[in-house]
Amino acid sequence: MTPFQEQIAADNAAVFVNDMEFAETHNLNGVECKAIVQDISVAQSLTIQQGKGDYFPGIYGSQLQVNCLKADLPEVPVYGMRFYLDDKMYEVESVGDDMGILTIQLTANDR
């Protein structure tokens, strides 16, 4: 690993996914690790115009965004797989890897 890559890995854990800021310990697919969990259902429902489509986020389901260190998970989730967050089952909608920090979009039906 180059010194730059080593510095990014150190910053990811110490700065970006830091439990003194926004991260908290969560159970991600059976692994206890630090993660930032955001509910994005409400934010998206505000952007959808009434009368266009029949999708009503937040009413019958939930959408979450999880940011965690890639190194903390034994495998990177993929689209469509089941993913457990704190013992609740979700489906992976998308996954992005930004230099060692995963951004995982999850959806769940509550009906």
Side-chain angles (χ1 to χ4, degrees), residues 66-80:
V66 179
N67 296 97
C68 65
L69 298 178
K70 181 179 180 179
D72 286 348
L73 297 181
E75 65 178 345
V76 175
V78 295
Y79 171 79

Side-chain angles (χ1 to χ4, degrees), residues 3 7 9 20-21 26-27 36 40-41 46-47 53 57 66 68 70 73 88:
Q7 186 61 51
M20 294 180 71
E21 299 292 335
H26 290 276
N27 185 318
I36 301 167
I40 58 175
S41 301
L46 295 175
T47 62
V66 179
C68 65
K70 181 179 180 179
L73 297 181
K88 182 176 178 183

Side-chain angles (χ1 to χ4, degrees), residues 7-61:
Q7 186 61 51
I8 288 176
D11 285 348
N12 284 347
V15 178
F16 301 115
V17 184
N18 174 351
D19 61 359
M20 294 180 71
E21 299 292 335
F22 299 110
E24 297 175 334
T25 301
H26 290 276
N27 185 318
L28 305 180
N29 265 355
V31 177
E32 294 283 327
C33 61
K34 295 179 197 171
I36 301 167
V37 178
Q38 301 173 72
D39 184 345
I40 58 175
S41 301
V42 174
Q44 285 189 349
S45 67
L46 295 175
T47 62
I48 296 175
Q49 293 180 355
Q50 198 171 25
K52 297 204 176 187
D54 58 354
Y55 179 63
F56 301 101
I59 296 175
Y60 298 119

